[in-house]
C-alpha cells in the first residue's frame, strides 16, 4: 500500500506543474488571439486579429447599441463601417464623402447606403451641393478635382491645406500652409489670394457662394459676403465650421462640443452634446453629420431636439 501511495504521489508531483503550465499557455493563447485590453469602455474601439475594428454592442435587445442595463450581456461585434476624421455632404445629404486617418477616401450614398472606398489619397475633402464637384487636398498640399463619384481625380494648380466648394462648383475657397486664403472661380478658374488681417486655418463657403466663414489660428470666426465683400470679425470662437446653401443654418465645433446658429453673425447655441470633432450640415439645412472622438460617423436632423444616430456599426464596406 505504501508503494502504491508513493507512486501516486510521484505522478501527482510531476503532473500538477504540467497541468498548470498547460492552463497558463491556453490562457495566454486565448488572450493573444483576442488581443483583449483591460479597462475598455462601452463601444470603445479595440484592435482585433481581423481586418476592420471591433465595437462592444448590447446583445440584450434592451436598448440597442450603447445602452446597457443590469441584465445586459455584452459581446464584441465587428464594426464593418469605416472611421473618419473629416467629411462633407451634398445638398440633401444623399452623398457623403470622407477621409480617414490614413488619408483614404470614402463615399456613401446617404443614410441608407454603405461605405465605399474610393481611389485617391486626401486629408481634406469637399463636395458641392449638386455632388458633381469634389475637391480634395492631400498631405503634401496638392489639390485635386473630380466630377462626382464616377469621375477621375485631376490635379489642379495651387497648394492648400483646406478647401471648400459651393453648391454648383462655381466658387472654390481654400487655405494654404502659410495661412493665406484663396479663391477660385470653379474647376477651370485660377487661384486669387484674398487678403486678410488674420492667419486662417479653415474656410467654408455657403452653397450660394455669398457667405464665407474663416477661422483663424486663435479660433476666432471671421466672415465676408462672397468674393466682393470685406472681412468682419465676430466674437465667436470655433475649431471648425460648416455652412448650408443660403447661410441660414451654420454648425460648428469647439472643445469637442457642437454649436449651431441661424446666421453667421448671430448668437451660437451650445447643444451640450460633446465629444465631436467635426460636424457638417447638408445644403438644405435639414441634416447634420458628425465625426466623434472615436472617429465614428453619426447623423441627426437639424431639429435641435433630435439625437445623434450612429452610422458605422454592423454594415458592410465595399472596397474597389
Amino acid at each position: 500500500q505504501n508503494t502504491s501511495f508513493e507512486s501516486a504521489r510521484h505522478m501527482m508531483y510531476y503532473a500538477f506543474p504540467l497541468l498548470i503550465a498547460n492552463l497558463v499557455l491556453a490562457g495566454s493563447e486565448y488572450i493573444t488571439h483576442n488581443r483583449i485590453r483591460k479597462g475598455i469602455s462601452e463601444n470603445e474601439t479595440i484592435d482585433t486579429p481581423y481586418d476592420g475594428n471591433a465595437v462592444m454592442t448590447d446583445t440584450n435587445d434592451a436598448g440597442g447599441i450603447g445602452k446597457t442595463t443590469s441584465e445586459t450581456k455584452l459581446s464584441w461585434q465587428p464594426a464593418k463601417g469605416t472611421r473618419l476624421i473629416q467629411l462633407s455632404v451634398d445638398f440633401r445629404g444623399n452623398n457623403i464623402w470622407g477621409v480617414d486617418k490614413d488619408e483614404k477616401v470614402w463615399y456613401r450614398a446617404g443614410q441608407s447606403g454603405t461605405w465605399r472606398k474610393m481611389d485617391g489619397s486626401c486629408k481634406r475633402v469637399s463636395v458641392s451641393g449638386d455632388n458633381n464637384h469634389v475637391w480634395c487636398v492631400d498631405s503634401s498640399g496638392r489639390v485635386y478635382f473630380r466630377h462626382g463619384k464616377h469621375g477621375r481625380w485631376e490635379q489642379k494648380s495651387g497648394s492648400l491645406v483646406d478647401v471648400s466648394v459651393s453648391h454648383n462648383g462655381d466658387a472654390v475657397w481654400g487655405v494654404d500652409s502659410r495661412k493665406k486664403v484663396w479663391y477660385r472661380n470653379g474647376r477651370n478658374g485660377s487661384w486669387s489670394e484674398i487678403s486678410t488681417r488674420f492667419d486662417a486655418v479653415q474656410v467654408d463657403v455657403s452653397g450660394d457662394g455669398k457667405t464665407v466663414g474663416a477661422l483663424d489660428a486663435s479660433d476666432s470666426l471671421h466672415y465676408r459676403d462672397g468674393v466682393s465683400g470685406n472681412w468682419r470679425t465676430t466674437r465667436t470662437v470655433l475649431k471648425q465650421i460648416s455652412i448650408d446653401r443660403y447661410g441660414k443654418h451654420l454648425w460648428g465645433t469647439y472643445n469637442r462640443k457642437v454649436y449651431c446658429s441661424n446666421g453667421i453673425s448671430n448668437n451660437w447655441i451650445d447643444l451640450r452634446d460633446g465629444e465631436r470633432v467635426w460636424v457638417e450640415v447638408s445644403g438644405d439645412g435639414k441634416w447634420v453629420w458628425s465625426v466623434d472622438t472615436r472617429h465614428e460617423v453619426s447623423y441627426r436632423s437639424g431639429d435641435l431636439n433630435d439625437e445623434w444616430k450612429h452610422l458605422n456599426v454592423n454594415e458592410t464596406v465595399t472596397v474597389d
Side-chain angles (χ1 to χ4, degrees):
Q1 291 181 346
N2 289 339
T3 302
S4 299
F5 177 77
E6 288 296 326
S7 298
R9 189 178 70 164
H10 281 292
M11 290 178 64
M12 291 180 63
Y13 179 82
Y14 290 105
F16 187 74
L18 182 60
L19 176 62
I20 295 299
N22 286 336
L23 289 173
V24 172
L25 179 61
S28 175
E29 289 176 348
Y30 178 79
I31 292 174
T32 301
H33 176 71
N34 290 277
R35 298 173 72 181
I36 295 175
R37 296 185 308 183
K38 292 183 179 180
I40 295 173
S41 61
E42 181 179 88
N43 279 337
E44 182 179 351
T45 304
I46 66 166
D47 294 329
T48 71
Y50 308 100
D51 291 337
N53 298 310
V55 293
M56 185 161 60
T57 59
D58 182 350
T59 59
N60 187 26
D61 277 343
I65 297 203
K67 298 181 180 180
T68 61
T69 69
S70 58
E71 300 293 327
T72 296
K73 298 179 181 179
L74 297 175
S75 67
W76 294 104
Q77 300 292 337
K80 298 179 181 178
T82 188
R83 296 176 186 273
L84 305 179
I85 59 172
Q86 182 260 335
L87 55 78
S88 180
V89 300
D90 69 351
F91 180 70
R92 299 189 188 281
N94 293 329
N95 297 277
I96 311 162
W97 291 77
V99 293
D100 64 21
K101 63 181 179 62
D102 297 317
E103 299 187 11
K104 295 176 182 177
V105 183
W106 296 86
Y107 167 80
R108 180 185 179 116
Q111 302 167 14
S112 59
T114 56
W115 291 110
R116 177 179 293 272
K117 182 179 175 298
M118 309 297 281
D119 62 308
S121 175
C122 297
K123 64 178 297 184
R124 193 61 60 86
V125 65
S126 179
V127 59
S128 61
D130 60 12
N131 193 43
N132 289 327
H133 307 262
V134 185
W135 289 79
C136 82
V137 295
D138 66 14
S139 57
S140 298
R142 289 183 289 259
V143 182
Y144 295 92
F145 164 87
R146 71 183 290 161
H147 186 69
K149 62 182 179 180
H150 299 299
R152 294 175 177 267
W153 292 112
E154 307 170 11
Q155 185 173 352
K156 296 297 182 181
S157 62
S159 177
L160 301 175
V161 297
D162 185 46
V163 67
S164 178
V165 59
S166 64
H167 178 84
N168 61 6
D170 284 350
V172 186
W173 290 75
V175 175
D176 67 16
S177 60
R178 298 177 300 135
K179 298 180 173 57
K180 304 298 183 181
V181 177
W182 296 81
Y183 167 81
R184 178 182 183 127
N185 185 18
R187 171 184 181 182
N188 298 318
S190 59
W191 294 107
S192 299
E193 183 178 350
I194 305 297
S195 62
T196 65
R197 293 184 178 180
F198 56 88
D199 293 332
V201 294
Q202 194 229 334
V203 65
D204 199 69
V205 59
S206 61
D208 60 10
K210 295 181 179 179
T211 303
V212 181
L215 300 176
D216 66 22
S218 299
D219 303 327
S220 294
L221 172 61
H222 311 264
Y223 72 97
R224 63 185 292 149
D225 300 327
V227 181
S228 59
N230 297 308
W231 291 110
R232 284 167 279 184
T233 302
T234 72
R235 300 176 66 180
T236 302
V237 290
L238 294 171
K239 284 290 185 183
Q240 178 260 325
I241 186 174
S242 175
I243 309 174
D244 72 346
R245 183 171 184 177
Y246 300 109
K248 300 297 183 183
H249 301 88
L250 299 92
W251 291 69
T253 60
Y254 185 72
N255 286 347
R256 299 180 178 181
K257 294 181 180 180
V258 177
Y259 296 83
C260 65
S261 175
N262 60 4
I264 199 164
S265 60
N266 295 344
N267 292 330
W268 288 74
I269 300 173
D270 181 359
L271 295 188
R272 301 189 181 280
D273 57 349
E275 301 306 307
R276 303 192 184 272
V277 296
W278 194 274
V279 65
E280 191 81 7
V281 61
S282 60
D284 60 7
K286 294 181 179 180
W287 295 100
V288 187
W289 304 76
S290 75
V291 176
D292 64 22
T293 54
R294 291 173 296 199
H295 307 300
E296 293 183 352
V297 180
S298 303
Y299 72 95
R300 59 177 289 164
S301 73
D303 185 340
L304 300 188
N305 295 317
D306 198 7
E307 296 182 351
W308 295 106
K309 304 170 186 65
H310 279 292
L311 267 185
N312 56 348
V313 175
N314 296 332
E315 62 176 34
T316 59
V317 171
T318 302
V319 179
D320 290 338

